[in-house]
Amino acid sequence: DAGVIQSPRHEVTEMGQEVTLRCKPISGHDYLFWYRQTMMRGLELLIYFNNNVPIDDSGMPEDRFSAKMPNASFSTLKIQPSEPRDSAVYFCASSLDWLIADTQYFGPGTRLTVL
Amino acid sequence: AQTVTQSQPEMSVQEAETVTLSCTYDTSESDYYLFWYKQPPSRQMILVIRQEAYKQQNATENRFSVNFQKAAKSFSLKISDSQLGDAAMYFCAYNQFYFGTGTSLTVIP
């Protein structure tokens, strides 16, 4: 398997623009996670899905953020409108089973810069 | 929410020497899982080692081992015979979701 795939790897946009980050999990994995990494706050869980259903979105910072998983092989994280404080590296990860115990496989991340 | 604390923002070690990275956590649960992840400059997060709380024996993976002290809620990572490729950020995690702020490890040739 190719591992978790994220696109784009880098995104530079201007404040107020819509940003869409994409993720393809490892085939057969039931759980998908979106994280945000910043110097100040470290790695934070934003939302996770089980079998395409959002289970916990309590980490989503505000209504400007939304995430979807229309099928088992694709998920998006959207920011609309984007703000400079959204600049961070966004990771997608997936795991096979058993939420708290199973190894997460991370994608390479998307570095987002909002000017 | 559970908290994970890594009190050493930066560490350095001479090549071939041993280094220990610290991690403490807060929980009221009796069964849980702890992880160490490595993040090299490529940004790719890679699992280093995993420990189940109900297991007394400390996990080991080649040159990597942990010192798990359940009563003290401590989970340190020991890297033996450090190599240049070990240079990275290391993150401690509790039950997948909760990550520490990381320790940046430099390996000195």
Side-chain angles (χ1 to χ4, degrees), chain A residues 9 33 35 37 43 45 48 91 98-104 106-109, chain B residues 31-33 35 37 39 42-45 47 50 91 95-97 99-101:
Chain A
R9 291 294 306 274
F33 310 85
Y35 290 90
Q37 185 179 31
L43 199 64
L45 177 68
Y48 76 91
F91 287 98
W98 198 9
L99 187 60
I100 66 170
D102 214 12
T103 301
Q104 289 183 86
F106 283 78
Chain B
D31 196 16
Y32 46 87
Y33 292 80
F35 304 80
Y37 283 89
Q39 186 180 41
S42 67
R43 287 204 316 249
Q44 186 77 47
M45 293 280 282
L47 177 69
R50 182 177 81 174
F91 293 91
N95 274 0
Q96 296 282 31
F97 297 155
F99 283 77
T101 51

Side-chain angles (χ1 to χ4, degrees), chain B residues 24 41 57 74 102:
Chain B
T24 59
Q57 189 172 8
S74 170

Side-chain angles (χ1 to χ4, degrees), chain B residues 31-98:
Chain B
D31 196 16
Y32 46 87
Y33 292 80
L34 298 165
F35 304 80
W36 278 99
Y37 283 89
K38 171 184 177 181
Q39 186 180 41
S42 67
R43 287 204 316 249
Q44 186 77 47
M45 293 280 282
I46 303 164
L47 177 69
V48 175
I49 201 165
R50 182 177 81 174
Q51 173 82 40
E52 299 177 64
Y54 71 87
K55 287 188 175 179
Q56 300 281 358
Q57 189 172 8
N58 288 326
T60 61
E61 287 288 341
N62 301 315
R63 298 182 294 107
F64 297 87
S65 61
V66 300
N67 182 6
F68 174 49
Q69 302 289 327
K70 191 173 184 179
K73 298 179 183 175
S74 170
F75 182 61
S76 59
L77 175 70
K78 186 172 82 170
I79 306 173
S80 304
D81 185 25
S82 296
Q83 301 175 359
L84 296 179
D86 295 334
M89 284 288 288
Y90 286 82
F91 293 91
C92 177
Y94 170 97
N95 274 0
Q96 296 282 31
F97 297 155
Y98 304 101

Side-chain angles (χ1 to χ4, degrees), chain A:
Chain A
D1 201 310
V4 176
I5 299 171
Q6 290 187 248
S7 64
R9 291 294 306 274
H10 304 273
E11 176 80 30
V12 180
T13 191
E14 296 199 343
M15 183 173 63
Q17 296 298 305
E18 177 179 293
V19 175
T20 300
L21 311 182
R22 297 172 177 80
C23 174
K24 176 179 168 53
I26 293 173
S27 177
H29 281 193
D30 290 337
Y31 290 88
L32 183 138
F33 310 85
W34 282 101
Y35 290 90
R36 178 173 66 176
Q37 185 179 31
T38 61
M39 289 293 291
M40 292 296 294
R41 300 174 67 90
L43 199 64
E44 303 172 282
L45 177 68
L46 299 178
I47 185 172
Y48 76 91
F49 296 82
N50 177 215
N51 291 325
N52 312 337
V53 177
I55 303 301
D56 185 351
D57 65 355
S58 59
M60 297 285 263
E62 49 198 274
D63 292 345
R64 298 184 297 106
F65 286 70
S66 62
K68 293 181 180 179
M69 193 166 185
N71 57 61
S73 59
F74 183 65
S75 177
T76 60
L77 178 68
K78 186 176 293 186
I79 308 173
Q80 166 62 19
S82 58
E83 297 182 2
R85 61 193 168 118
D86 301 330
S87 297
V89 179
Y90 291 81
F91 287 98
C92 176
S94 69
S95 67
L96 182 62
D97 199 359
W98 198 9
L99 187 60
I100 66 170
D102 214 12
T103 301
Q104 289 183 86
Y105 296 85
F106 283 78
T110 295
R111 180 177 294 279
L112 174 64
T113 302
V114 184
L115 303 174

